[in-house]
Amino acid sequence: MRLKTAPYNNKPFALDYPSWLATQPEPLYSSEQVYQIEKAWFNQGYDSFALMQQAAWQISQYIIKHAQSARASNQTPFEVAFRQSSTLSATIWAGLGNNGGDGWLIAYYLSQFGWHVKVIDVGHIDVTDSSDAARARALATQQDIKVIDFDTLTEDSLALYCSWTHYHIDALFGIGLDRPPKDTFATAIKAFNQIVKQTGALAVSVDIPSGVVASTGQVFDSCAIQADITLCLVAAKLGLVIKDGVNYCGQVVHLPLIPLIPVIDSQQVINPSAWQVSQPLPMLP
């Protein structure tokens, strides 16, 4: 079989691709299953911080390429900002845990590529901790990255700091969230959405939009990041394709990072929670 060369949904696709793959359903996983997949990977001797670095590196590369493509095509909601600024910029909203650690490393890598980077520190990771997130924060703060304590910001100062940000990167919550965001984090989510709407910047979520429950797609009290792009790590999350999650994730881009088939823990294959059947691609006989 050969795939048609004409664009499909305004996007070209490759030739000589096995026809049976065009109709293959996509496995969807719950949070617990993703943790099992990662645990199985680490049990094979792989390092957790190395996986965090790999995730942040791939996310950084995607954002850089996305910006280059948007600049070249002038098809971006912030064309004027692109043309008037010689340096691309990103503001990372960093929370706690591994998702926050991803955010700090994304800041680190983007700054190495000459981007103007700011981190809005919402989670206040304990730098004396031995966690991967603390290692990521320590590494990032060695760079010339402006760190802003979210608790010190007013609505006016936030608007000032973010007026020329091209990308806002949501690294507040990961897949462990199963309850409503509260206090500072709820305020940060609302501030993130507001500043993106005001400035026309692009909102990119790491793994899942903060506030969306990865296993169920539920959003509590409409408190979740409204992402333009979600860069989904390791495995596709069930919550991105059901319930409220569909309305918050924007375009979902999968960055698998590690092999999933077979992923075996205690000699048992980790089966998906569900399968998503995609629309078959048109083919030539």
Side-chain angles (χ1 to χ4, degrees):
M1 291 284 189
R2 287 175 64 86
L3 297 179
K4 288 183 179 179
T5 56
Y8 178 68
N9 284 350
N10 297 318
K11 296 180 181 179
F13 46 85
L15 294 171
D16 298 319
Y17 204 63
S19 60
W20 59 271
L21 285 178
T23 56
Q24 287 297 295
E26 179 181 34
L28 303 171
Y29 295 87
S30 68
S31 298
E32 184 58 36
Q33 289 171 323
V34 174
Y35 288 137
Q36 291 174 4
I37 291 168
E38 292 176 343
K39 180 182 177 182
W41 182 250
F42 301 145
N43 285 344
Q44 295 179 47
Y46 296 101
D47 181 66
S48 60
F49 187 66
L51 183 61
M52 181 179 286
Q53 290 175 301
Q54 173 72 353
W57 174 258
Q58 289 203 27
I59 289 171
S60 302
Q61 291 302 298
Y62 178 89
I63 291 171
I64 289 168
K65 291 176 182 177
H66 185 278
Q68 291 171 342
S69 176
R71 218 172 200 178
S73 65
N74 285 330
Q75 293 180 352
T76 163
F78 40 90
E79 296 174 21
V80 175
F82 259 30
R83 288 196 295 267
Q84 293 181 357
S85 175
S86 59
T87 303
L88 291 166
S89 64
T91 297
I92 291 85
W93 298 60
L96 287 167
N98 289 340
N99 203 254
D102 290 339
W104 285 102
L105 287 179
I106 293 166
Y108 173 74
Y109 291 132
L110 288 178
S111 69
Q112 288 188 321
F113 278 88
W115 281 49
H116 181 68
V117 177
K118 296 184 288 291
V119 175
I120 295 180
D121 188 2
V122 182
H124 305 119
I125 293 170
D126 184 356
V127 294
T128 65
D129 193 2
S130 59
S131 67
D132 289 341
R135 289 180 63 184
R137 189 188 193 284
L139 185 62
T141 51
Q142 295 175 11
Q143 298 289 108
D144 185 20
I145 296 171
K146 186 175 182 60
V147 179
I148 305 164
D149 185 341
F150 179 75
D151 292 335
T152 66
L153 288 174
T154 64
E155 186 175 332
D156 289 340
S157 62
L158 177 62
L160 179 63
Y161 280 127
C162 298
S163 59
W164 287 100
T165 292
H166 300 122
Y167 289 81
H168 283 274
I169 301 172
D170 157 36
L172 292 171
F173 285 116
I175 62 174
L177 181 74
D178 58 1
R179 56 194 179 278
K182 292 187 179 298
D183 304 325
T184 300
F185 283 94
T187 304
I189 288 172
K190 293 175 182 177
F192 182 107
N193 288 336
Q194 182 178 356
I195 198 68
V196 167
K197 184 176 181 180
Q198 288 175 349
T199 62
L202 231 62
V204 179
S205 284
V206 175
D207 205 16
I208 192 162
S210 294
V212 176
V213 179
S215 296
T216 67
Q218 184 175 2
V219 170
F220 299 95
D221 303 322
S222 301
C223 185
I225 295 296
Q226 188 69 62
D228 295 301
I229 301 170
T230 296
L231 300 178
C232 183
L233 305 173
V234 179
K237 314 301 186 297
L238 178 60
L240 291 175
V241 300
I242 60 174
K243 295 185 179 177
D244 303 317
V246 177
N247 299 319
Y248 285 86
C249 64
Q251 176 190 2
V252 178
V253 177
H254 295 290
L255 303 177
L257 302 183
I258 57 178
L260 295 182
I261 303 175
V263 177
I264 299 176
D265 188 16
S266 302
Q267 300 181 342
Q268 290 187 347
V269 175
I270 302 171
N271 293 313
S273 289
W275 298 82
Q276 181 183 28
V277 179
S278 301
Q279 182 179 357
L281 297 175
M283 293 188 174
L284 293 173

